[in-house]
């Protein structure tokens, strides 16, 4: 049974089974190159198969791991990860890309795009593909064979901290930094082993990352991307998700390995409290006033209520089987809890933790999110490419929103009024405009993705 619960915990927290991912150790003597294929409108799609991608220079061409086998347009703005690989530090000339067009003949394209690789750092290269003007207008291939798209590339520029969001990738030992406005990955922060929960402090330009396999919380400068420090937990804690209070003074970690919660002082960078909770706490929710944390215990079918000021357990409340996570309504009076093995969304009163309602939403729930601006409830399903939108009063579905399949983790950008939905099954983040409730963009993130966090996130 413990093994089963552990496997379920991995899936719930935003990843597939570890057996499906090759776990890469943290960078040491090498650096890494990530090649991102920039969005291409459908009408200009080159429709070319990609045979290989290599880094040019550095004493020869260095093959990269090919992650995308085809260049093609998408119905919505979509950035895809084409290739990536670890390289020796040094200067490189660009890329060598081998394509196959409709005629089947290979075409080797050398893309001039000087970049450098530094030890224990990652470089993101943005690759753009465009067809010749005649082909883009719909002309057929001429007698000389298929038209080969023109490729250009440039090193991505790091966005200002206010524009950044972050997504952890456990098997890649990294955190992807994406531009919230452009909706594309622009930087990658190499991290320690099994990065899981992420929390952003926009005031201090810090990003906190829980390292599940190192029992630590890493602290990054979001302006430079450099790691600043680490907060050490107890051996075997295996921290999962983390939550930051609105005043940014307190960080809460759900320690699945020790069935505990740590309360961390972000100024002193040390643990100031530790509370025993249920079995395998995996997700955590800090309320909007920073007074309480709600920790959801996957292994004991319960959630624990923590008084943060007094650093004590207030209550432990039973739930349906395998609680995924909880969300608080706009008024701060109700807590919605979804469970992996229950077709019911349970509504608890936060005054006395009594059950106010039980709403049938069907089996297969993978994640939920409440938009505090509208009070609407977004529900994701494991095998559905859509989000169900529930009215908070009638508690009935009022809309459906397209998104990638099986979203597990959500964050809302307040300035753009946009919902970012993480779908680990496809290593994808979908971006939904909340005003129109339409899917407007997608971008790839690293495998085994666990959590996302935004600078300027709506709570």
């Amino acid at each position: 049974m413990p093994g089963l619960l552990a496997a379920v915990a991995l899936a719930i927290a935003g990843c597939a089974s570890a057996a499906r991912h090759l776990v890469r150790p943290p960078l040491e003597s090498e650096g890494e190159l990530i090649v991102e294929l920039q969005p291409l409108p459908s009408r200009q799609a080159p429709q070319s198969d990609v045979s290989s991608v290599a880094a040019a220079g550095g004493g020869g061409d260095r093959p990269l791991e090919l992650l995308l086998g085809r260049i093609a347009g998408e119905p919505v703005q979509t950035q895809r990860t084409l290739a990536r690989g670890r390289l020796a530090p040094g200067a490189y000339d660009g890329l060598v890309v081998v394509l196959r067009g409709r005629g089947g003949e290979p075409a080797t394209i050398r893309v001039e795009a000087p970049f450098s690789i530094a030890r224990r750092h990652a470089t993101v290269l943005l690759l753009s593909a465009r067809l010749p003007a005649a082909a883009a207008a719909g002309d057929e291939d001429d007698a000389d064979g298929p038209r080969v798209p023109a490729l250009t590339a440039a090193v991505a520029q790091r966005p200002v901290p206010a524009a950044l969001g972050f997504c952890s990738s456990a098997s890649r030992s990294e955190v992807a930094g994406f531009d919230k406005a452009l909706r594309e990955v622009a930087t990658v922060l190499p991290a320690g082993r099994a990065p899981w929960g992420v929390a952003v402090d926009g005031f201090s330009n810090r990003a906190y990352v829980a390292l599940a396999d190192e029992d630590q919380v890493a602290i990054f400068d979001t302006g430079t991307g450099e790691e600043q420090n680490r907060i050490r937990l107890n051996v075997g804690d295996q921290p999962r998700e983390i939550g930051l209070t609105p005043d940014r003074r307190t960080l809460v970690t759900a320690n699945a390995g020790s069935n505990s919660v740590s309360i961390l002082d972000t100024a002193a960078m040390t643990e100031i409290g530790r509370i025993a909770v249920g079995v395998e706490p995996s997700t955590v929710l800090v309320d909007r006033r920073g007074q309480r944390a709600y920790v959801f215990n996957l292994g004991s079918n319960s959630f624990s209520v923590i008084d943060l000021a007094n650093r004590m357990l207030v209550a432990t409340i039973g739930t349906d089987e395998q609680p995924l996570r909880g969300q608080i309504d706009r008024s701060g009076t109700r807590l919605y809890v979804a469970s992996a093995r229950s077709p019911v969304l349970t509504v608890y009163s936060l005054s006395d933790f009594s059950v106010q309602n039980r709403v049938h939403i069907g089996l297969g729930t993978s994640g939920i999110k409440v938009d505090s601006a509208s009070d609407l409830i977004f529900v994701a399903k494991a095998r559905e490419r859509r989000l169900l939108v529930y009215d908070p009063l009638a508690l009935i579905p009022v809309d459906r929103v397209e998104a990638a399949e099986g979203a597990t983790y959500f964050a809302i950008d307040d300035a753009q009024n946009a919902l970012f939905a993480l779908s680990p099954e496809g290593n994808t983040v979908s971006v939904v405009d909340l005003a129109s409730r339409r899917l407007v963009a997608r971008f790839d993130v690293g495998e085994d993705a666990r959590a996302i966090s935004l600078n300027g996130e709506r709570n």
Side-chain angles (χ1 to χ4, degrees), residues 2 16 26 48 55 79 95 115 150 319 332 396 413 455:
S48 298
Q79 184 196 58
L95 300 173
F115 65 90
T319 65
I396 59 173
D413 182 58
N455 197 338

Side-chain angles (χ1 to χ4, degrees), residues 245-400:
T245 56
D247 63 9
R248 306 173 301 278
R249 296 178 179 176
T250 304
L251 194 69
V252 182
T253 69
N255 304 325
S258 59
N259 301 329
S260 68
V261 167
S262 291
I263 300 178
L264 311 178
D265 184 314
T266 59
M269 299 187 188
T270 188
E271 181 179 275
I272 57 174
R274 175 173 289 258
I275 302 162
V277 292
V279 177
E280 205 169 356
S282 297
T283 61
V284 60
L285 172 69
V286 175
D287 71 18
R288 297 183 189 97
R289 294 182 295 177
Q291 295 180 343
R292 286 180 170 178
Y294 300 86
V295 180
F296 299 87
N297 306 306
L298 185 70
S300 55
N301 303 329
S302 65
F303 67 87
S304 301
V305 184
I306 308 297
D307 180 331
L308 294 177
N310 295 304
R311 304 170 200 166
M312 61 179 291
L313 179 68
V314 174
T316 299
I317 311 299
T319 65
D320 289 342
E321 191 173 1
Q322 296 173 4
L324 290 167
R325 65 177 65 254
Q327 289 284 284
I328 298 173
D329 72 342
R330 178 169 53 186
S331 65
T333 61
R334 296 191 292 179
L335 175 70
Y336 304 98
V337 179
S339 298
R341 296 211 171 173
S342 172
V344 172
L345 178 70
T346 307
V347 185
Y348 295 87
S349 167
L350 288 182
S351 61
D352 58 5
F353 307 115
S354 61
V355 175
Q356 285 191 336
N357 207 338
R358 288 176 59 82
V359 183
H360 189 277
I361 59 174
L363 287 168
T365 299
S366 59
I368 62 169
K369 179 65 175 179
V370 169
D371 178 6
S372 59
S374 65
D375 226 15
L376 292 172
I377 308 161
F378 293 82
V379 177
K381 296 291 184 177
R383 296 179 179 85
E384 296 184 19
R385 296 179 62 87
R386 62 180 182 175
L387 307 175
L388 297 176
V389 186
Y390 280 77
D391 178 89
L393 298 178
L395 290 174
I396 59 173
V398 294
D399 203 354
R400 292 172 174 81

